[in-house]
Structures are given as structure tokens and as C-alpha cells.
Amino acid sequence: MSPRSSPLYCLVFLLTFSSGIQAFNITRLLGQYPEFGAFNQYIIDSKLVGQINGRRTITVLAIDNSSIASISSRSKDAIKAIISTHVILDYYDEKKLMDLQGSSAILTTLYQASGIAIRRQGFINVAVFDGEVVFGSAVKGAPLNSKLVKTVATQPYNISVLQVTAPIIPPGIDAQSPWPAPGAETPLPHRKPKTPSTGDYDAAAESPEDAEAEAEAPTDAATPTPTPAPAPGPADKAADEDADDDGSKPHNGSTRTQMGLLESMVMGLVSLFVAL
Ligand SMILES: *[C@@H]1O[C@H](CO)[C@@H](O)[C@H](O)[C@H]1NC(C)=O
Ligand SMILES: *[C@@H]1O[C@H](CO)[C@@H](O)[C@H](O)[C@H]1NC(C)=O
Ligand SMILES: *[C@@H]1O[C@H](CO)[C@@H](O)[C@H](O)[C@H]1NC(C)=O
Ligand SMILES: *[C@@H]1O[C@H](CO)[C@@H](O)[C@H](O)[C@H]1NC(C)=O
């Protein structure tokens, strides 16, 4: 071993060793719930298992067999984009989401870490209105159309698996999901005037300005730099294409996001090692 390569080998050894101390196994975890069998299979087929298990702080938005059937006709790449959009690079359980009551937040997903997401495809928007948690792509004009159903499993503060009603599909990933028309506003959930709610959003609009302001593009600092990405930082692109989107930061993302960066580096080095 040449003196030049030995520090790398030490590092790779260390990282390989430490990656063996796995916080969870997503395949096994989801495998306990047959209703998420198809979702679990998509994670495996999209080769996302290693990327998910390699993280320590993650939230998976799972969709049951009947709701996920709608994506089955899409290409492998589109399915991978959708599935990785369902993996949030931070730990969110129901309690933490409920802390957002009346507001919204932008969350970074594994799709952002792929380096191929553009504009805000790699982020999702979560909002809480009347105690109901709704998710959608953070791309401007994308609907918040996937509601939280229940907690499937939690292992605080490493992994949280939450069931949602519908797939969150980033616009622009394929011809079936075109970019929203320019100038489109994110249709926010509407809520009823104070009555014991059935949970349907069908009345007056929640102040869109507030949520829009919250939903602005995350800053560079908060964007985990994807290891395998040779491309310019996705946030830079977002800034270029959405010149008015450089306002605020995501909620409490930065600390964990930095861990996310470290872990992407670990993943990168481990895959380098595997490739050698
Ligand atoms: C769980 O996450 C915490 C940080 O949030 C980390 O310190 C800890 O090592 C993780 N547990 C495992 C088993 O990886
Ligand atoms: C994770 O669980 C699956 C199913 O139980 C198993 O096949 C796989 O080997 C496990 N992976 C690791 C790294 O333990
Ligand atoms: C969900 O689909 C998977 C395969 O796609 C299947 O193995 C599993 O049995 C199904 N679960 C239920 C509850 O139908
Ligand atoms: C963010 O952190 C601050 C202080 O650390 C806390 O008051 C606030 O509730 C947190 N917000 C979210 C969305 O977790």
C-alpha cells in the first residue's frame, strides 16, 4: 500500500466499519407491514435501500398498495424520483409535525441528494391546518395533496415511518407530470370556518401569502450537497429559475442537514470502496 493511499484506506475501513452499525433496516421494517409491500419493493427495485439505511435521521412517507398502484405505469427513473421524494432527510414524527400548526415548512428529500433534481423537485412542502398534516412537492404550483394517515413506526430520533394518502409527485419528472404553468401558485388546502370538521378542505382559503412565504426556496447553506452530483448546486439552479425564491430558510433543517452531508460523504466513500 503506497503512503499516498493508506489514509484513504484507513478512512474507507473506518467508514465501512461504522456503516455496519446500522440504525435500522428499512426493508425489514417495512416488511412487517404487508400493506406497504409494493412500496417496499419499489425501494428495493430503485436501489435506494443502501442510501436509506446509511442515514441516521430520516422520515419515510409510506404509501399503501392501493394508493401506490397509480405510479406503476411510469418509467423506472420516474418511480425512483417519486420514491426518493418520500424519504425526508430529517426525523419527523407526528408531534414534531403538529408543532407546525397553522404554518408550513420545506423539507429536504433523498431526491435532492441524487443531484438530478432541479428547481424545487428535491424538496417537499408540509403544512398543518386544523390539525391535518398535508404534504406536496415544493415545486411552485404543485398541489399539497397527500395527507398524513398515521404513524407506522418510529425509532426516535433515527427513523420515522408515516403513512400518507397519495404519492407525492415532483412536477417535471416525466411527461405525465409537467411543470406547472408559469406563475402558478401552490394551491393550498382550504379549510372550513370553525365547525367540527370532517377533515375536508372545501371552504375559504387559508392565507396563501403566509404559507408561500414559508415555502420559499431553501438557501444554499441548508441544501445538502449531494456527493454523486457533479452538477452545480441545485439551490443555485433554483435561484436562477425562480429569482423571487431566495427568501427564507427551512425550519430547523440546518443541523441535521449537515449530518446529512457527512453521511452522503460516507455513502460516497463506501460506494467508492465497493467499486474498487
Ligand atoms: C440515532 O440518531 C442519533 C442522532 O440523531 C445518533 O447519535 C445515533 O447514533 C443514532 N443511532 C444509531 C443506532 O445509529
Ligand atoms: C435487511 O432486511 C432484509 C429483510 O429482512 C434482509 O434481507 C437484509 O439482508 C437486511 N439487510 C441488512 C444490511 O441487514
Ligand atoms: C402488497 O403488494 C405486495 C407486492 O406488490 C404483496 O406482496 C403484498 O402481499 C400486498 N399486501 C397486501 C396487504 O395486499
Ligand atoms: C425550531 O426550533 C425552535 C427553537 O429551537 C423552536 O422554537 C421551534 O418550535 C422549532 N420549529 C420546528 C418547526 O421544529
Side-chain angles (χ1 to χ4, degrees):
M1 186 184 301
S2 80
R4 212 177 125 260
S5 62
S6 55
L8 176 64
Y9 275 94
C10 289
L11 185 63
V12 165
F13 172 79
L14 193 72
L15 295 172
T16 308
F17 176 73
S18 59
S19 75
I21 309 162
Q22 204 171 254
F24 49 79
N25 177 343
I26 189 65
T27 315
R28 192 186 309 141
L29 186 56
L30 283 171
Q32 294 164 28
Y33 307 92
E35 66 270 37
F36 302 114
F39 182 74
N40 201 5
Q41 194 59 46
Y42 278 132
I43 292 179
I44 296 166
D45 294 347
S46 304
K47 302 192 166 53
L48 293 168
V49 173
Q51 290 184 52
I52 294 173
N53 289 350
R55 301 210 170 240
R56 302 222 151 162
T57 316
I58 213 157
T59 303
V60 175
L61 303 178
I63 323 158
D64 70 11
N65 278 8
S66 57
S67 310
I68 207 171
S70 63
I71 71 167
S72 61
S73 65
R74 293 182 186 248
S75 69
K76 272 174 67 176
D77 287 348
I79 289 174
K80 183 170 187 170
I82 294 166
I83 299 299
S84 49
T85 300
H86 284 253
V87 181
I88 301 167
L89 305 185
D90 197 354
Y91 177 87
Y92 279 89
D93 53 19
E94 281 190 57
K95 184 182 172 299
K96 192 169 163 192
L97 289 169
M98 285 305 176
D99 288 345
L100 293 171
Q101 177 60 47
S103 68
S104 67
I106 297 287
L107 313 176
T108 309
T109 73
L110 193 58
Y111 189 37
Q112 183 66 12
S114 73
I116 56 176
I118 53 173
R119 285 151 85 172
R120 287 195 271 174
Q121 285 177 326
F123 300 90
I124 58 175
N125 198 348
V126 56
V128 185
F129 296 106
D130 281 352
E132 192 153 42
V133 181
V134 287
F135 298 89
S137 170
V139 169
K140 207 169 201 174
L144 285 174
N145 60 355
S146 187
K147 298 179 191 176
L148 175 67
V149 178
K150 64 172 195 282
T151 298
V152 177
T154 55
Q155 211 173 288
Y157 293 91
N158 297 100
I159 184 165
S160 168
V161 180
L162 305 171
Q163 182 183 358
V164 295
T165 52
I168 300 165
I169 299 181
I173 55 161
D174 63 11
Q176 269 186 62
S177 302
W179 293 100
E185 292 298 312
T186 296
L188 289 167
H190 294 191
R191 71 173 181 193
K192 294 185 168 184
K194 285 286 170 204
T195 49
S197 166
T198 60
D200 284 341
Y201 301 117
D202 55 5
E206 180 67 24
S207 162
E209 292 80 5
D210 293 352
E212 252 315 295
E214 298 276 0
E216 293 301 89
T219 58
D220 282 350
T223 305
T225 310
T227 325
D236 293 337
K237 285 190 215 155
D240 290 348
E241 292 171 48
D242 273 328
D244 55 336
D245 285 349
D246 52 4
S248 56
K249 301 172 184 67
H251 291 251
N252 298 355
S254 12
T255 347
R256 296 256 164 80
T257 302
Q258 279 171 5
M259 286 186 48
L261 171 60
L262 178 66
E263 306 215 349
S264 328
M265 291 168 64
V266 170
M267 290 297 299
L269 280 158
V270 168
S271 31
L272 180 73
F273 177 68
V274 169
L276 285 176

